[in-house]
Amino acid sequence: MARKLDIRRHCPVKLPNGRTISITYINHPGAVIIASFLNEDTVVMMRQFRPALKKYIYELPAGTLDPHESIATCARRELLEETGLKAKKLAKIGSIYPVPGYSTEVIHVFKAEQLTQTEAQPEEYEVIEVVPMTKPQVRRLLAQGKFMDAKSICALVFCGWL
């Protein structure tokens, strides 16, 4: 099910300098991203079709929190849905604001290890190819401008891969 955005329009905000302005922003429930490693040399990437961009992009498994869902539960759910993987070891390693100029979204970054393969359960709107990659392969895609997903790049920086 596609998630609806909560767009807040013309909201007054008092700035630290005393001025009041009106802003429009997206109130977001938060999200997770998971850097999952088959071993110390191989990360699980995805090649996913993004309808807004009308093309496939490389990224890590990620998704939006459901109401009343913990971030760890969301990370496990998204990893299973998008890749079919279950992680014996899952650890939060950071958080990022992906677009603080117009959204309240916080993405919680997880590292997953000791993985077992089951069957992926993608949402009906998700077109995903799971592509395990080595560090040189990921770096080559980045250098060639073929790996541009900011949240995934940040997650791999947290893991020391980039």
Side-chain angles (χ1 to χ4, degrees):
M1 172 177 107
R3 310 247 180 341
K4 294 181 182 176
L5 296 176
D6 178 14
I7 300 174
R8 308 270 172 104
R9 300 181 189 279
H10 311 294
C11 299
V13 175
K14 188 170 184 172
L15 301 176
N17 64 7
R19 296 177 70 193
T20 299
I21 62 169
S22 177
I23 67 168
T24 297
Y25 66 96
I26 298 168
N27 190 41
H28 194 285
V32 300
I33 187 163
I34 310 98
S36 44
F37 292 90
L38 295 175
N39 56 54
E40 66 180 36
D41 300 318
T42 309
V43 69
V44 178
M45 296 285 292
M46 301 184 320
R47 187 173 168 265
Q48 180 167 337
F49 186 78
R50 290 300 192 171
L53 300 175
K54 298 179 179 75
K55 67 179 186 175
Y56 284 89
I57 67 168
Y58 289 98
E59 58 188 302
L60 296 173
T64 303
L65 288 159
D66 284 339
H68 311 292
E69 183 178 41
S70 75
I71 59 174
T73 298
C74 183
R76 289 186 187 285
R77 176 178 54 78
E78 289 293 341
L79 184 61
L80 179 63
E81 285 178 4
E82 295 183 350
T83 67
L85 294 169
K86 291 184 179 183
K88 186 173 181 182
K89 186 176 176 186
L90 182 72
K92 182 181 173 188
I93 58 173
S95 296
I96 61 170
Y97 294 118
V99 286
Y102 60 85
S103 176
T104 63
E105 182 178 14
V106 175
I107 299 178
H108 304 280
V109 181
F110 284 83
K111 183 176 183 181
E113 298 173 290
Q114 298 175 17
L115 307 173
T116 56
Q117 185 70 56
T118 64
E119 190 170 332
Q121 304 164 13
E123 301 280 353
E124 64 179 15
Y125 59 87
E126 293 177 316
V127 180
I128 296 170
E129 175 189 353
V130 176
V131 186
M133 292 189 179
T134 63
K135 191 183 294 189
Q137 289 173 311
V138 171
R139 288 183 173 174
R140 190 169 26 260
L141 285 176
L142 185 64
Q144 294 170 345
K146 295 179 181 177
F147 176 34
M148 297 173 54
D149 181 58
K151 69 186 181 306
S152 296
I153 293 167
C154 288
L156 292 177
V157 167
F158 274 104
C159 293
W161 259 51
L162 296 177

